[in-house]
Amino acid sequence: METAPTKPSLSRKPSPSFRLRNGSLNALRLRRVFDLFDRNGDGEITLDEMESALDTLGLGADRAGLEATVGAYIPAGANGLGFNDFESLHRALGDALFGPIVEEEEPQKEGEDEDMKEAFRVFDENGDGFISAAELQAVLKKLGLAEARSLAAVQEMICNVDRDRDGQVDFGEFKTMMQGITVWGA
């Protein structure tokens, strides 16, 4: 007999960026989060990997609560959450925290720009309107990405999107980069 998933709960107030209004950007972000949590790259996020990732992000999780909430989404016989299971968990958390998504007939350009600005602000730590190599490296380190170890690799990432060749990424360059990303499986 299959048990119904436990209703997700969080002890902290969720970030308003938990669920972006732009579906493609949200799907891309969710895939990246999944890949970051899946430390060994086996296509599943185990409870240990989830706990470790939350600890790294400073969101220490109660193991029993994590097992009750996340464990309900792990299919029988699996070691962890596959991407579709992770997406279902994310959707359930979003619905529990913010209510169900009401699909709009036509996406609003202004809402998409606000989502993009919000994402840009995550990287622009000093708020000067530009993402420098040091800021990008700091965010990559927080995410535990190997690319953060080499400033040269981070500078190359900047160069790939830096159209005006000023050594940093402005909002226009960031937006162009994000709009050019293809989301696989979306």
Side-chain angles (χ1 to χ4, degrees), residues 20-53:
L20 298 175
R21 289 177 293 275
N22 180 312
S24 294
L25 186 56
N26 199 37
L28 172 67
R29 181 180 66 171
L30 193 60
R31 183 73 218 193
R32 287 187 175 165
V33 169
F34 179 86
D35 291 341
L36 288 171
F37 281 25
D38 181 18
R39 289 286 192 180
N40 63 3
D42 67 354
E44 288 185 331
I45 300 172
T46 63
L47 286 171
D48 288 339
E49 288 173 321
M50 178 74 73
E51 186 176 34
S52 173

Side-chain angles (χ1 to χ4, degrees), residues 11-172:
S11 58
R12 300 173 192 210
K13 184 175 181 185
S15 165
S17 67
F18 179 81
R19 181 166 61 192
L20 298 175
R21 289 177 293 275
N22 180 312
S24 294
L25 186 56
N26 199 37
L28 172 67
R29 181 180 66 171
L30 193 60
R31 183 73 218 193
R32 287 187 175 165
V33 169
F34 179 86
D35 291 341
L36 288 171
F37 281 25
D38 181 18
R39 289 286 192 180
N40 63 3
D42 67 354
E44 288 185 331
I45 300 172
T46 63
L47 286 171
D48 288 339
E49 288 173 321
M50 178 74 73
E51 186 176 34
S52 173
L54 292 173
D55 285 345
T56 299
L57 293 170
L59 303 171
D62 167 51
R63 180 66 183 215
L66 190 61
E67 286 176 6
T69 301
V70 176
Y73 288 85
I74 298 174
N79 293 322
L81 299 168
F83 180 71
N84 290 336
D85 308 316
F86 184 69
E87 191 173 36
S88 294
L89 171 64
H90 182 263
R91 189 177 314 109
L93 286 169
D95 289 352
L97 297 169
F98 305 108
I101 293 177
V102 178
E103 295 295 329
E104 297 175 11
E105 286 184 21
E106 192 173 311
Q108 296 180 354
K109 181 80 169 144
E110 184 178 316
E112 290 177 15
D113 278 351
E114 284 306 310
D115 287 341
M116 203 70 73
K117 287 177 185 173
E118 183 180 324
F120 182 80
R121 283 191 290 269
V122 169
F123 291 90
D124 181 18
E125 292 185 325
N126 66 6
D128 68 354
F130 299 96
I131 302 169
S132 67
E135 287 172 316
L136 178 57
Q137 187 175 34
V139 172
L140 295 176
K141 278 183 184 176
K142 287 178 188 174
L143 295 173
L145 296 176
E147 292 87 344
R149 290 187 210 127
S150 166
L151 184 58
V154 173
Q155 288 169 330
E156 184 177 333
M157 293 168 84
I158 294 279
C159 286
N160 288 332
V161 296
D162 182 19
R163 295 185 187 265
D164 62 7
R165 302 291 181 226
D166 64 354
Q168 48 193 1
V169 177
D170 62 31
F171 178 69

